[in-house]
Amino acid sequence: MTVFARFHVVPALFLTLGLASAALADEHRVTGDGPGAFVVEDGKVDPDTYEGYLVYTRACMACHGPDGMGSSFAPNLIRAAERRGWENFAGTIASGREVQPGQVMPSFADDPYVMGNIPKLFSYMRARGEGGLGRGRPQIIESMQEQAEENGDDKAAEEANAKE
């Protein structure tokens, strides 16, 4: 390959890869009414996925580490949500699990906040894994936040506004 040819191929390759990555990174959706539905647009999420983040930080992060990535004694929940599916994910949260002797995931069956928000927690984990949601506290998509406020579902919206 000549020097001239290298200069034309490499920029074209980077330009093509960059455009493809940018298009894929802008928006991710798994829609529907079932557990695990989420919307990620430009790193922002729908109100239910945001609520899943709040549940995660309150009930799960101490063991599973920041952003669901796992720790030295608790597994990566992003991979668990992808690998195990909804029923197994929800069942493990409700009934707990003994991973190894002395290494136990506790049951959250007596915690109404966690139990009432398992679908939102599952959405957050799927958005982290499949939807390309980055680390840290997500923001709510403005149009969806306004819609949630209009519908009277402003708990997550109030939380988001209080934290900003």
Side-chain angles (χ1 to χ4, degrees):
M1 180 184 286
T2 66
V3 173
F4 179 74
R6 277 191 228 161
F7 286 115
H8 287 341
V9 171
V10 173
L13 178 63
F14 285 124
L15 181 61
T16 303
L17 291 174
L19 291 176
S21 297
L24 292 175
D26 287 346
E27 182 177 334
H28 298 276
R29 294 177 183 263
V30 173
T31 57
D33 293 330
F38 66 85
V39 177
V40 176
E41 291 178 2
D42 297 322
K44 297 179 181 181
V45 298
D46 62 279
D48 284 346
T49 301
Y50 180 80
E51 184 69 24
Y53 165 81
L54 296 177
V55 174
Y56 178 81
T57 57
R58 176 185 169 257
C60 312
M61 185 170 72
C63 294
H64 292 278
D67 310 304
M69 303 206 38
S71 69
S72 60
F73 58 91
N76 181 319
L77 291 185
I78 297 166
R79 285 195 303 248
E82 292 171 345
R83 196 174 52 240
R84 297 179 189 270
W86 163 246
E87 288 88 13
N88 193 295
F89 185 85
T92 300
I93 293 170
S95 59
R97 182 174 180 200
E98 185 169 355
V99 180
Q100 296 176 351
Q103 196 173 15
V104 177
M105 157 83 182
S107 166
F108 284 89
D110 294 331
D111 187 332
Y113 177 68
V114 173
M115 292 303 294
N117 287 296
I118 294 174
K120 295 173 183 177
L121 180 58
F122 189 63
S123 294
Y124 170 64
M125 287 297 117
R126 289 191 65 200
R128 287 278 296 125
E130 300 169 29
L133 179 62
R135 298 184 75 176
R137 177 186 292 275
Q139 294 181 350
I140 299 175
I141 300 166
E142 289 87 6
S143 62
M144 296 182 120
Q145 182 174 350
E146 292 166 5
Q147 184 179 14
E149 289 171 354
E150 289 173 7
N151 294 337
D153 183 22
D154 53 6
K155 182 180 177 185
E158 287 175 11
E159 284 275 339
N161 290 332
K163 303 291 181 186
E164 291 179 6

